[in-house]
Amino acid sequence: GDSVTQMEGPVTLSEEAFLTINCTYTATGYPSLFWYVQYPGEGLQLLLKATKADDKGSNKGFEATYRKETTSFHLEKGSVQVSDSAVYFCALTARGGADGLTFGKGTHLIIQP
Amino acid sequence: EAGVTQSPTHLIKTRGQQATLRCSPISGHTSVYWYQQALGLGLQFLLWYDEGEERNRGNFPPRFSGRQFPNYSSELNVNALELEDSALYLCASRVGGLAKIGEQYFGPGTRLTVT
């Protein structure tokens, strides 16, 4: 079946550091890829998406590029802030959404001032 | 525009009882998904409803069931509650049918505690 693998952390960085959270996937066909963020005590918020190879999703300074050749969708941000502290989930959907979203385990990001 | 809403926020039940969780999707969305976020197990797909019908379910026993109403709101029922059903239950909605892009928008969740 489909699967998503991402580093679980916690990942601790200083404010203004460069962020990379790795995400790789296994899926049949051509999935759509997403990054969701979960702040403490809240539900999931869609951060960015990409629907085909070489697409770059971006939002709030975060970026991720759909790499079909390496089956990856790594999340990056050039300068993180304390407010970026949250849990980040990489996810995919295939088969038109019939199986829901398949999520990675989530990466807990802690940004220290 | 209102987002996905869920009720109640918290629910405490005793083992063996039944729990009912409710979800209202974003206006115009006809697909509703339910997910379980249990400690140590991550986010797992439970059920998918579209246009009033159950379209697919994840790897969960039949005591997890639900329905979708004509206004596209949805209800998740968990019968014969077990301690391991304690989790955050998230509802998500999107535009209906099979969709290539298919981004889903999530509600804040219902925290179910089984004692």
Side-chain angles (χ1 to χ4, degrees):
Chain A
D2 299 340
S3 67
V4 175
T5 302
Q6 63 179 111
M7 55 208 299
E8 290 185 39
V11 173
T12 303
L13 295 173
S14 297
E15 205 166 20
E16 299 183 4
F18 184 86
L19 169 71
T20 299
I21 301 177
N22 291 336
C23 170
T24 57
Y25 67 89
T26 302
T28 53
Y30 300 93
S32 294
L33 302 175
F34 307 90
W35 277 99
Y36 281 86
V37 58
Q38 187 174 35
Y39 297 101
E42 299 184 12
L44 276 71
Q45 296 179 24
L46 177 64
L47 183 59
L48 53 83
K49 66 185 181 192
T51 60
K52 60 184 187 297
D54 300 325
D55 263 3
K56 178 185 282 188
S58 61
N59 186 25
K60 299 181 181 180
F62 291 90
E63 293 183 340
T65 301
Y66 190 146
R67 300 288 188 200
K68 189 170 183 299
E69 64 277 13
T70 54
T71 62
S72 65
F73 193 54
H74 304 322
L75 183 68
E76 296 182 334
K77 186 176 185 182
S79 177
V80 293
Q81 306 300 313
V82 171
S83 57
D84 294 327
S85 298
V87 181
Y88 292 80
F89 292 91
C90 185
L92 67 82
T93 188
R95 295 183 59 230
D99 299 324
L101 287 161
T102 299
F103 287 91
K105 294 280 189 188
T107 300
H108 186 195
L109 176 66
I110 300 169
I111 307 300
Q112 296 178 333
Chain B
E1 182 182 286
V4 177
T5 60
Q6 293 185 244
S7 63
T9 304
H10 295 92
L11 193 55
I12 300 174
K13 293 286 186 178
T14 304
R15 193 171 54 182
Q17 287 187 317
Q18 179 194 29
T20 298
L21 290 65
R22 295 180 177 84
C23 171
S24 291
I26 289 171
S27 177
H29 287 188
T30 61
S31 265
V32 169
Y33 293 81
W34 287 94
Y35 294 87
Q36 183 195 66
Q37 187 176 25
L39 205 60
L41 294 178
L43 279 148
Q44 295 182 281
F45 164 64
L46 253 170
L47 289 159
W48 173 36
Y49 292 94
D50 183 68
E51 295 287 351
E53 300 285 332
E54 180 181 309
R55 302 297 184 181
N56 201 11
R57 63 184 296 127
N59 189 25
F60 283 84
R63 58 191 186 82
F64 287 85
S65 65
R67 54 182 170 166
Q68 187 177 33
F69 299 97
N71 66 354
Y72 305 114
S73 67
S74 178
E75 192 174 89
L76 173 69
N77 295 296
V78 188
N79 294 318
L81 284 165
E82 300 179 2
L83 295 177
E84 52 264 36
D85 296 334
S86 295
L88 181 68
Y89 288 84
L90 292 168
C91 170
S93 75
R94 66 165 175 83
V95 294
L98 294 175
K100 166 58 179 171
I101 299 175
E103 65 264 38
Q104 298 175 22
Y105 297 89
F106 284 79
T110 292
R111 173 74 61 187
L112 173 63
T113 302
V114 182
T115 62

Coordinates of all heavy atoms in Angstrom, one line a residue, chain B residues 15-94:
Chain B
R15 N -15.6 2.3 29.1 CA -15.5 1.2 28.3 C -16.8 0.4 28.1 O -17.5 0.2 29.1 CB -14.4 0.2 28.9 CG -14.0 -0.9 27.9 CD -12.8 -1.6 28.5 NE -13.1 -2.2 29.9 CZ -12.2 -2.9 30.6 NH1 -11.0 -3.0 30.1 NH2 -12.6 -3.3 31.8
G16 N -17.1 0.1 26.9 CA -18.4 -0.6 26.6 C -19.5 0.3 26.1 O -20.5 -0.1 25.5
Q17 N -19.4 1.6 26.4 CA -20.4 2.6 26.0 C -20.3 2.9 24.5 O -19.4 2.4 23.8 CB -20.3 3.9 26.8 CG -20.8 3.7 28.2 CD -20.8 5.1 28.9 OE1 -19.9 5.9 28.8 NE2 -21.8 5.3 29.7
Q18 N -21.2 3.8 24.0 CA -21.1 4.2 22.7 C -20.8 5.7 22.6 O -21.2 6.5 23.5 CB -22.5 4.0 22.0 CG -22.5 4.5 20.5 CD -23.9 4.7 20.0 OE1 -24.9 4.9 20.7 NE2 -24.1 4.5 18.7
A19 N -20.1 6.2 21.6 CA -19.7 7.6 21.5 C -20.2 8.1 20.1 O -20.2 7.3 19.1 CB -18.2 7.8 21.6
T20 N -20.7 9.3 20.1 CA -21.2 9.9 18.8 C -20.5 11.2 18.6 O -20.5 12.1 19.5 CB -22.7 10.1 18.8 OG1 -23.4 8.8 18.9 CG2 -23.1 10.8 17.5
L21 N -19.8 11.4 17.5 CA -19.0 12.6 17.2 C -19.7 13.2 16.0 O -20.1 12.5 15.1 CB -17.6 12.2 16.9 CG -16.7 11.8 18.1 CD1 -17.1 10.5 18.7 CD2 -15.2 11.7 17.6
R22 N -19.7 14.5 15.9 CA -20.3 15.2 14.8 C -19.4 16.2 14.1 O -18.5 16.7 14.6 CB -21.6 16.0 15.3 CG -22.6 15.0 15.9 CD -23.8 15.8 16.4 NE -24.9 14.8 16.8 CZ -24.9 14.2 18.0 NH1 -23.9 14.5 18.9 NH2 -25.8 13.4 18.3
C23 N -19.7 16.4 12.8 CA -18.8 17.2 11.9 C -19.7 17.9 10.9 O -20.6 17.4 10.3 CB -17.8 16.3 11.2 SG -16.9 17.1 9.9
S24 N -19.4 19.2 10.7 CA -20.0 20.0 9.7 C -19.0 20.5 8.7 O -18.0 21.1 9.1 CB -20.8 21.2 10.3 OG -21.9 20.8 11.0
P25 N -19.1 20.2 7.5 CA -18.1 20.5 6.5 C -18.2 22.0 6.1 O -19.1 22.7 6.4 CB -18.4 19.6 5.3 CG -19.9 19.4 5.4 CD -20.2 19.4 6.8
I26 N -17.2 22.4 5.3 CA -17.2 23.7 4.7 C -18.3 23.8 3.7 O -18.6 22.8 3.0 CB -15.8 24.0 4.0 CG1 -14.7 24.1 5.1 CG2 -15.9 25.2 3.1 CD1 -13.3 24.2 4.6
S27 N -19.0 24.9 3.6 CA -20.1 25.1 2.7 C -19.6 24.8 1.3 O -18.6 25.3 0.8 CB -20.6 26.5 2.8 OG -21.6 26.7 1.9
G28 N -20.4 23.9 0.6 CA -20.0 23.6 -0.8 C -19.2 22.3 -0.9 O -19.1 21.7 -2.0
H29 N -18.7 21.8 0.2 CA -18.0 20.5 0.2 C -19.0 19.4 0.5 O -19.8 19.5 1.4 CB -16.9 20.5 1.3 CG -15.7 21.4 1.0 ND1 -14.6 21.4 1.8 CD2 -15.5 22.2 0.0 CE1 -13.7 22.2 1.3 NE2 -14.2 22.8 0.2
T30 N -18.9 18.4 -0.3 CA -19.8 17.2 -0.1 C -19.1 16.0 0.3 O -19.8 15.0 0.6 CB -20.5 16.9 -1.5 OG1 -19.6 16.6 -2.5 CG2 -21.3 18.1 -1.9
S31 N -17.8 16.0 0.4 CA -17.0 14.8 0.8 C -16.5 15.1 2.3 O -16.0 16.2 2.6 CB -15.8 14.6 0.0 OG -16.0 13.6 -1.0
V32 N -16.7 14.1 3.1 CA -16.3 14.2 4.5 C -15.4 12.9 4.8 O -15.8 11.8 4.5 CB -17.5 14.3 5.5 CG1 -17.0 14.1 6.9 CG2 -18.2 15.6 5.3
Y33 N -14.3 13.2 5.4 CA -13.4 12.1 5.9 C -13.3 12.1 7.4 O -13.3 13.2 8.0 CB -12.0 12.3 5.3 CG -11.9 12.1 3.8 CD1 -12.2 13.2 3.0 CD2 -11.4 10.9 3.3 CE1 -12.1 13.0 1.6 CE2 -11.3 10.8 1.9 CZ -11.6 11.8 1.1 OH -11.5 11.7 -0.3
W34 N -13.1 10.9 8.0 CA -12.8 10.8 9.4 C -11.4 10.2 9.6 O -11.1 9.2 8.9 CB -13.9 10.0 10.1 CG -15.2 10.7 10.3 CD1 -16.3 10.6 9.5 CD2 -15.5 11.6 11.4 NE1 -17.3 11.4 10.0 CE2 -16.9 12.0 11.1 CE3 -14.9 12.0 12.5 CZ2 -17.6 12.8 12.0 CZ3 -15.6 12.9 13.4 CH2 -16.9 13.3 13.1
Y35 N -10.7 10.7 10.5 CA -9.4 10.1 10.8 C -9.2 10.0 12.4 O -9.8 10.7 13.1 CB -8.2 11.1 10.4 CG -8.2 11.3 8.9 CD1 -8.9 12.2 8.3 CD2 -7.3 10.5 8.1 CE1 -8.8 12.4 6.9 CE2 -7.2 10.6 6.8 CZ -8.0 11.6 6.1 OH -7.9 11.7 4.8
Q36 N -8.4 9.0 12.7 CA -8.1 8.8 14.1 C -6.6 9.1 14.3 O -5.8 8.7 13.6 CB -8.3 7.3 14.5 CG -8.1 7.1 16.0 CD -8.0 5.6 16.3 OE1 -7.0 4.9 15.9 NE2 -8.9 5.0 17.1
Q37 N -6.4 10.0 15.3 CA -5.0 10.3 15.7 C -4.7 9.8 17.1 O -5.0 10.5 18.1 CB -4.7 11.8 15.6 CG -3.3 12.2 15.8 CD -3.0 13.7 15.6 OE1 -3.9 14.5 15.7 NE2 -1.8 14.0 15.2
A38 N -4.2 8.6 17.2 CA -3.9 8.0 18.5 C -2.5 8.1 18.8 O -1.6 8.1 17.9 CB -4.4 6.5 18.5
L39 N -2.2 8.2 20.1 CA -0.8 8.4 20.5 C 0.1 7.2 20.1 O -0.3 6.0 20.3 CB -0.8 8.5 22.1 CG 0.4 9.2 22.7 CD1 0.5 10.6 22.2 CD2 0.4 9.2 24.2
G40 N 1.1 7.5 19.4 CA 2.0 6.4 18.9 C 1.6 5.8 17.6 O 2.4 5.0 17.1
L41 N 0.4 6.1 17.1 CA -0.1 5.4 15.9 C -0.2 6.4 14.7 O -0.4 5.9 13.6 CB -1.4 4.7 16.2 CG -1.4 3.5 17.1 CD1 -2.8 3.0 17.3 CD2 -0.4 2.4 16.6
G42 N 0.0 7.6 15.0 CA -0.2 8.6 13.9 C -1.6 8.8 13.4 O -2.6 8.4 14.1
L43 N -1.7 9.4 12.3 CA -3.0 9.7 11.7 C -3.5 8.6 10.8 O -2.7 8.2 9.9 CB -3.0 11.0 10.9 CG -3.1 12.3 11.7 CD1 -2.3 13.4 11.1 CD2 -4.5 12.7 11.8
Q44 N -4.6 8.0 11.1 CA -5.1 6.9 10.3 C -6.5 7.2 9.7 O -7.4 7.6 10.4 CB -5.1 5.6 11.1 CG -3.8 5.1 11.6 CD -3.9 3.9 12.4 OE1 -4.2 3.8 13.5 NE2 -3.5 2.8 11.7
F45 N -6.7 6.9 8.4 CA -7.9 7.0 7.7 C -9.0 6.1 8.2 O -8.7 4.9 8.3 CB -7.7 6.8 6.2 CG -8.9 6.6 5.4 CD1 -9.9 7.6 5.3 CD2 -9.2 5.4 4.8 CE1 -11.0 7.4 4.5 CE2 -10.3 5.2 4.0 CZ -11.2 6.2 3.9
L46 N -10.1 6.6 8.6 CA -11.2 5.8 9.1 C -12.3 5.6 8.1 O -12.7 4.4 7.8 CB -11.9 6.5 10.3 CG -11.6 6.0 11.7 CD1 -12.1 7.0 12.7 CD2 -12.3 4.7 11.9
L47 N -12.9 6.7 7.6 CA -14.1 6.5 6.8 C -14.2 7.7 5.8 O -13.7 8.8 6.1 CB -15.4 6.6 7.6 CG -15.7 5.4 8.5 CD1 -16.7 5.8 9.6 CD2 -16.3 4.3 7.7
W48 N -14.8 7.4 4.6 CA -15.0 8.5 3.6 C -16.5 8.5 3.2 O -17.0 7.4 2.8 CB -14.1 8.3 2.4 CG -14.4 9.2 1.3 CD1 -14.8 10.5 1.3 CD2 -14.4 8.9 -0.1 NE1 -15.0 11.0 0.1 CE2 -14.7 10.1 -0.9 CE3 -14.1 7.7 -0.9 CZ2 -14.7 10.1 -2.2 CZ3 -14.1 7.8 -2.3 CH2 -14.4 8.9 -2.9
Y49 N -17.1 9.6 3.3 CA -18.5 9.8 2.9 C -18.6 10.8 1.8 O -17.9 11.8 1.8 CB -19.4 10.3 4.0 CG -19.6 9.2 5.1 CD1 -18.8 9.2 6.2 CD2 -20.5 8.2 5.0 CE1 -18.9 8.2 7.2 CE2 -20.7 7.2 5.9 CZ -19.8 7.2 7.0 OH -20.0 6.3 8.0
D50 N -19.4 10.5 0.8 CA -19.5 11.5 -0.3 C -20.9 11.4 -0.9 O -21.5 10.3 -1.1 CB -18.5 11.1 -1.4 CG -18.6 12.1 -2.6 OD1 -18.2 13.3 -2.3 OD2 -19.0 11.8 -3.7
E51 N -21.6 12.5 -1.0 CA -23.0 12.6 -1.5 C -23.9 11.6 -0.7 O -24.7 10.9 -1.3 CB -23.0 12.2 -3.0 CG -22.3 13.2 -3.8 CD -23.0 14.6 -4.0 OE1 -24.2 14.6 -3.6 OE2 -22.5 15.5 -4.5
G52 N -23.7 11.6 0.6 CA -24.6 10.8 1.5 C -24.3 9.3 1.6 O -25.0 8.6 2.3
E53 N -23.3 8.9 0.9 CA -23.0 7.4 0.9 C -21.6 7.2 1.5 O -20.7 8.0 1.3 CB -23.0 6.8 -0.5 CG -24.3 7.0 -1.2 CD -25.4 6.0 -0.7 OE1 -25.0 4.9 -0.2 OE2 -26.6 6.3 -0.8
E54 N -21.4 6.0 2.2 CA -20.1 5.6 2.6 C -19.4 5.1 1.4 O -19.9 4.1 0.8 CB -20.2 4.5 3.7 CG -18.8 4.1 4.2 CD -18.9 3.0 5.2 OE1 -19.6 3.2 6.2 OE2 -18.2 1.9 5.0
R55 N -18.3 5.6 1.1 CA -17.5 5.3 -0.2 C -16.4 4.3 0.1 O -16.0 3.6 -0.8 CB -17.0 6.5 -0.9 CG -18.1 7.5 -1.3 CD -19.1 6.9 -2.3 NE -20.1 7.9 -2.7 CZ -21.1 7.7 -3.5 NH1 -21.2 6.5 -4.1 NH2 -21.9 8.7 -3.9
N56 N -15.8 4.5 1.3 CA -14.6 3.6 1.6 C -14.4 3.7 3.1 O -14.8 4.7 3.8 CB -13.4 4.1 0.8 CG -12.3 3.0 0.7 OD1 -12.6 1.8 1.1 ND2 -11.1 3.4 0.3
R57 N -13.7 2.7 3.6 CA -13.3 2.7 5.0 C -11.9 2.2 5.2 O -11.4 1.4 4.3 CB -14.3 2.0 5.9 CG -14.4 0.5 5.6 CD -15.5 -0.2 6.5 NE -15.1 -0.1 7.9 CZ -16.0 0.4 8.8 NH1 -17.1 0.9 8.5 NH2 -15.6 0.4 10.1
G58 N -11.2 2.6 6.2 CA -9.9 2.2 6.5 C -9.9 0.9 7.2 O -10.9 0.2 7.4
N59 N -8.8 0.5 7.8 CA -8.6 -0.8 8.4 C -9.1 -0.7 9.9 O -8.3 -0.8 10.8 CB -7.2 -1.3 8.4 CG -7.0 -2.7 8.9 OD1 -7.9 -3.5 8.8 ND2 -5.8 -3.0 9.3
F60 N -10.4 -0.5 10.1 CA -11.0 -0.4 11.4 C -12.1 -1.4 11.5 O -12.8 -1.7 10.5 CB -11.5 1.0 11.7 CG -10.4 2.0 12.0 CD1 -9.6 2.6 11.0 CD2 -10.1 2.3 13.3 CE1 -8.6 3.5 11.3 CE2 -9.1 3.1 13.7 CZ -8.3 3.7 12.7
P61 N -12.4 -1.9 12.7 CA -13.5 -2.9 12.9 C -14.9 -2.2 12.6 O -15.0 -1.0 12.7 CB -13.4 -3.3 14.3 CG -12.6 -2.2 15.0 CD -11.7 -1.6 14.0
P62 N -15.9 -3.0 12.4 CA -17.3 -2.5 12.1 C -17.9 -1.7 13.2 O -18.9 -1.0 12.9 CB -18.1 -3.8 11.8 CG -17.0 -4.8 11.5 CD -15.8 -4.5 12.3
R63 N -17.4 -1.8 14.4 CA -18.0 -1.0 15.5 C -17.7 0.5 15.3 O -18.3 1.4 16.0 CB -17.5 -1.4 16.9 CG -16.0 -1.4 17.1 CD -15.6 -2.1 18.4 NE -14.2 -2.0 18.6 CZ -13.7 -0.9 19.2 NH1 -14.5 0.1 19.6 NH2 -12.4 -0.8 19.4
F64 N -16.8 0.8 14.3 CA -16.7 2.2 13.9 C -17.6 2.4 12.7 O -17.4 1.7 11.6 CB -15.2 2.5 13.5 CG -14.3 2.6 14.6 CD1 -13.7 1.5 15.2 CD2 -14.0 3.9 15.2 CE1 -12.8 1.6 16.3 CE2 -13.1 4.0 16.2 CZ -12.5 2.8 16.8
S65 N -18.6 3.3 12.8 CA -19.5 3.5 11.7 C -20.0 4.9 11.7 O -19.6 5.7 12.6 CB -20.7 2.5 11.9 OG -21.5 2.9 13.0
G66 N -20.8 5.3 10.7 CA -21.2 6.6 10.7 C -22.2 6.8 9.6 O -22.8 5.9 9.0
R67 N -22.5 8.1 9.3 CA -23.4 8.4 8.2 C -23.2 9.9 7.8 O -22.6 10.6 8.6 CB -24.9 8.2 8.6 CG -25.3 8.9 9.9 CD -26.7 8.5 10.2 NE -27.1 9.0 11.6 CZ -28.4 9.1 12.0 NH1 -29.4 8.7 11.2 NH2 -28.6 9.5 13.2
Q68 N -23.7 10.2 6.7 CA -23.7 11.5 6.2 C -25.1 12.0 5.9 O -25.9 11.2 5.3 CB -22.8 11.7 4.9 CG -22.6 13.1 4.5 CD -21.7 13.3 3.3 OE1 -21.7 12.4 2.4 NE2 -21.0 14.3 3.2
F69 N -25.5 13.1 6.4 CA -26.8 13.6 6.2 C -27.0 14.4 4.9 O -26.0 14.8 4.3 CB -27.1 14.5 7.5 CG -27.1 13.8 8.8 CD1 -25.9 13.8 9.5 CD2 -28.1 13.0 9.2 CE1 -25.8 13.1 10.7 CE2 -28.0 12.3 10.4 CZ -26.9 12.3 11.2
P70 N -28.3 14.7 4.6 CA -28.6 15.4 3.3 C -27.9 16.8 3.3 O -27.6 17.3 2.2 CB -30.1 15.6 3.3 CG -30.6 14.4 4.1 CD -29.5 14.2 5.2
N71 N -27.6 17.4 4.4 CA -26.8 18.7 4.4 C -25.3 18.5 4.4 O -24.6 19.5 4.5 CB -27.3 19.6 5.5 CG -26.8 19.0 6.9 OD1 -26.3 17.9 7.0 ND2 -27.1 19.8 7.9
Y72 N -24.9 17.2 4.2 CA -23.5 16.8 4.1 C -22.7 16.8 5.4 O -21.6 16.4 5.5 CB -22.7 17.7 3.1 CG -23.4 17.6 1.7 CD1 -23.9 18.8 1.2 CD2 -23.5 16.4 1.0 CE1 -24.6 18.7 -0.1 CE2 -24.1 16.4 -0.2 CZ -24.6 17.5 -0.8 OH -25.3 17.5 -2.0
S73 N -23.4 17.2 6.5 CA -22.8 17.0 7.8 C -22.7 15.5 8.1 O -23.3 14.7 7.4 CB -23.6 17.7 8.9 OG -24.8 17.0 9.1
S74 N -21.8 15.1 9.0 CA -21.6 13.7 9.2 C -21.5 13.4 10.7 O -21.2 14.3 11.6 CB -20.3 13.3 8.5 OG -19.9 12.0 8.8
E75 N -21.7 12.1 11.0 CA -21.7 11.6 12.4 C -20.8 10.4 12.4 O -20.9 9.5 11.5 CB -23.1 11.3 12.8 CG -23.4 11.0 14.2 CD -24.9 10.8 14.3 OE1 -25.4 9.6 14.2 OE2 -25.6 11.8 14.6
L76 N -19.9 10.3 13.4 CA -19.1 9.1 13.6 C -19.6 8.4 14.9 O -19.7 9.1 15.9 CB -17.6 9.4 13.7 CG -16.7 8.3 14.1 CD1 -16.6 7.2 12.9 CD2 -15.3 8.8 14.4
N77 N -19.9 7.1 14.8 CA -20.3 6.4 15.9 C -19.3 5.3 16.3 O -18.8 4.6 15.3 CB -21.7 5.7 15.7 CG -22.8 6.7 15.5 OD1 -23.1 7.5 16.4 ND2 -23.4 6.8 14.3
V78 N -19.0 5.2 17.5 CA -18.0 4.2 17.9 C -18.8 3.4 19.0 O -19.1 3.9 20.1 CB -16.7 4.7 18.5 CG1 -15.7 3.6 18.8 CG2 -16.1 5.7 17.5
N79 N -19.1 2.1 18.7 CA -19.8 1.2 19.6 C -18.8 0.4 20.5 O -17.7 0.2 20.1 CB -20.7 0.3 18.9 CG -21.8 1.1 18.2 OD1 -22.4 2.0 18.7 ND2 -22.1 0.7 16.9
A80 N -19.3 -0.1 21.6 CA -18.5 -1.0 22.4 C -17.1 -0.5 22.7 O -16.1 -1.1 22.3 CB -18.5 -2.4 21.8
L81 N -17.1 0.8 23.2 CA -15.8 1.5 23.3 C -14.7 0.6 24.1 O -15.0 0.0 25.1 CB -16.0 2.8 24.0 CG -16.6 3.9 23.2 CD1 -17.1 5.0 24.1 CD2 -15.6 4.4 22.2
E82 N -13.5 0.7 23.6 CA -12.4 0.1 24.2 C -11.4 1.1 24.6 O -11.4 2.2 24.1 CB -11.7 -0.9 23.3 CG -12.7 -2.0 22.8 CD -12.0 -3.0 21.8 OE1 -10.8 -2.9 21.5 OE2 -12.8 -3.9 21.4
L83 N -10.5 0.8 25.6 CA -9.6 1.8 26.1 C -8.7 2.4 24.9 O -8.4 3.6 24.9 CB -8.7 1.2 27.1 CG -9.4 0.7 28.4 CD1 -8.4 0.1 29.4 CD2 -10.0 1.9 29.1
E84 N -8.3 1.5 24.0 CA -7.5 1.9 22.9 C -8.2 2.8 21.9 O -7.5 3.3 20.9 CB -6.8 0.7 22.2 CG -7.8 -0.3 21.7 CD -7.9 -1.4 22.7 OE1 -7.9 -1.2 24.0 OE2 -8.1 -2.6 22.3
D85 N -9.5 3.1 22.1 CA -10.2 4.0 21.2 C -9.9 5.5 21.6 O -10.3 6.4 20.9 CB -11.7 3.8 21.2 CG -12.0 2.4 20.6 OD1 -11.3 1.9 19.8 OD2 -13.1 1.9 21.0
S86 N -9.3 5.6 22.8 CA -8.9 7.0 23.2 C -8.0 7.6 22.2 O -6.9 7.1 21.9 CB -8.2 6.9 24.6 OG -9.1 6.4 25.6
A87 N -8.4 8.8 21.7 CA -7.7 9.4 20.6 C -8.3 10.7 20.2 O -9.4 11.1 20.7 CB -7.7 8.5 19.3
L88 N -7.6 11.5 19.4 CA -8.2 12.7 18.8 C -8.8 12.2 17.5 O -8.1 11.6 16.6 CB -7.1 13.7 18.5 CG -7.6 15.1 17.9 CD1 -8.5 15.8 18.9 CD2 -6.4 15.9 17.5
Y89 N -10.1 12.5 17.3 CA -10.8 12.2 16.0 C -11.0 13.4 15.2 O -11.6 14.4 15.6 CB -12.1 11.5 16.3 CG -11.9 10.1 16.9 CD1 -11.7 9.9 18.2 CD2 -11.9 9.0 16.0 CE1 -11.5 8.7 18.8 CE2 -11.7 7.7 16.5 CZ -11.5 7.6 17.9 OH -11.2 6.3 18.4
L90 N -10.4 13.4 14.0 CA -10.4 14.6 13.1 C -11.3 14.3 11.9 O -11.3 13.2 11.4 CB -9.0 14.8 12.6 CG -8.0 15.3 13.7 CD1 -6.6 15.3 13.1 CD2 -8.3 16.7 14.1
C91 N -12.1 15.3 11.6 CA -12.9 15.3 10.4 C -12.3 16.3 9.4 O -11.8 17.3 9.8 CB -14.3 15.8 10.9 SG -15.5 16.1 9.5
A92 N -12.5 15.9 8.2 CA -12.0 16.8 7.1 C -13.0 16.8 6.0 O -13.7 15.8 5.8 CB -10.6 16.3 6.6
S93 N -13.0 17.9 5.2 CA -13.9 18.0 4.1 C -13.2 18.5 2.8 O -12.1 19.1 2.9 CB -15.1 18.9 4.4 OG -14.8 20.3 4.4
R94 N -13.8 18.2 1.7 CA -13.3 18.7 0.4 C -14.4 18.7 -0.6 O -15.5 18.2 -0.3 CB -12.1 17.8 -0.1 CG -12.5 16.4 -0.5 CD -11.3 15.8 -1.3 NE -11.5 14.4 -1.6 CZ -12.2 14.0 -2.7 NH1 -12.9 14.8 -3.4 NH2 -12.3 12.7 -2.9

